[in-house]
Amino acid sequence: RKEVEQDPGPFNVPEGATVAFNCTYSNSASQSFFWYRQDCRKEPKLLMSVYSSGNEDGRFTAQLNRASQYISLLIRDSKLSDSATYLCVVRNNRKLIWGLGTSLAVNP
Amino acid sequence: GAVVSQHPSRVICKSGTSVKIECRSLDFQATTMFWYRQFPKQSLMLMATSNEGSKATYEQGVEKDKFLINHASLTLSTLTVTSAHPEDSSFYICSAPSEGWNTEAFFGQGTRLTVV
């Protein structure tokens, strides 16, 4: 079993749609959780950290369920510019463990 | 915020040659640098962890004699792909960890290596 698992997609959605990504992790001792965004042939960029209480940043909402070892990302009112790969990342000590990424294409 | 500069951004080399990739921390001291490789449609895979002043730690399955890592100073870590082959063609990216538990890592811009 992979340490961090994501549905690779691709997700093809129209502009304005709401889309949800899920991620599970295997190490219950993991300390920190993140969603990164990666555009083609670029370095990953932090989208948001994920907390058990849930956190929201504009159109983006992230949630962590430690009991189920599950992380989610919700994108509301999708924009064309949201098209990218979204990477679920878990931190164990100083190492970041990366999911495969979920590809999102937002269509006009 | 902290910046990691990676160079070159793109390199094409012939089979059998060696390629050096540099990562510099511009406004902070990086005692540790992570080196990743990413193949198309794959996730970032940690290759090795370089530590300033000591030997790098390699992940299982990564050949230390092929991927030479040097971390000679607190601001520079290098990865040398020796005797490159076409199967080494990939996206290589470095990252310096942040100290805080819930803060981001700092990434270089990545190097796209093509071995022909």
Side-chain angles (χ1 to χ4, degrees):
Chain A
R1 182 187 172 190
K2 291 181 182 174
E3 289 189 76
V4 178
E5 294 206 61
Q6 289 181 254
D7 179 351
F11 284 60
N12 284 283
V13 303
E15 267 188 292
T18 295
V19 61
F21 302 142
N22 303 317
C23 169
T24 57
Y25 61 97
S26 61
N27 187 343
S28 60
S30 299
Q31 297 110 351
S32 308
F33 309 88
F34 309 92
W35 283 102
Y36 274 73
R37 170 192 169 133
Q38 187 176 26
D39 293 287
C40 188
R41 297 171 183 259
K42 300 282 188 183
E43 74 274 23
K45 292 191 185 296
L46 179 67
L47 183 64
M48 57 201 305
S49 301
V50 190
Y51 307 105
S52 297
S53 54
N55 48 306
E56 187 174 311
D57 182 4
R59 298 181 293 109
F60 300 85
T61 301
Q63 189 74 49
L64 165 66
N65 184 322
R66 282 192 180 266
S68 303
Q69 295 177 204
Y70 172 93
I71 305 162
S72 65
L73 175 68
L74 184 76
I75 305 176
R76 291 181 298 278
D77 189 23
S78 301
K79 311 290 184 191
L80 296 177
S81 57
D82 294 334
S83 298
T85 297
Y86 291 83
L87 299 154
C88 175
V89 187
V90 171
R91 187 170 186 170
N92 297 331
N93 296 312
R94 300 188 87 195
K95 284 188 179 180
L96 294 178
I97 312 298
W98 297 78
L100 187 66
T102 299
S103 176
L104 172 67
V106 181
N107 305 304
Chain B
V3 177
V4 174
S5 177
Q6 184 172 345
H7 176 82
S9 58
R10 171 170 273 184
V11 59
I12 301 172
C13 71
K14 291 184 178 180
S15 286
T17 60
S18 295
V19 174
K20 179 186 280 189
I21 301 170
E22 292 187 349
C23 272
R24 294 181 183 274
S25 55
L26 297 185
D27 53 359
F28 69 105
Q29 294 182 329
T31 56
T32 299
M33 194 75 77
F34 296 120
W35 286 95
Y36 295 90
R37 180 169 54 183
Q38 186 178 33
F39 291 108
K41 299 188 187 299
Q42 300 288 317
S43 64
L44 277 78
M45 296 299 296
L46 182 64
M47 299 174 66
T49 303
S50 75
N51 301 291
E52 188 270 333
S54 64
K55 288 184 179 179
T57 304
Y58 289 80
E59 297 299 303
Q60 194 173 13
V62 178
E63 299 174 60
K64 59 181 67 176
D65 293 331
K66 180 170 181 62
F67 299 98
L68 301 179
I69 289 175
N70 185 279
H71 197 142
S73 77
L74 288 170
T75 58
L76 176 63
S77 177
T78 62
L79 167 67
T80 301
V81 182
T82 63
S83 187
H85 289 100
E87 57 265 30
D88 298 324
S89 299
S90 187
F91 185 64
Y92 293 85
I93 192 164
C94 62
S95 170
S98 60
E99 293 303 319
W101 289 114
N102 255 350
T103 54
E104 64 182 300
F106 306 111
F107 283 90
Q109 297 88 339
T111 297
R112 187 156 299 280
L113 171 63
T114 303
V115 184
V116 298

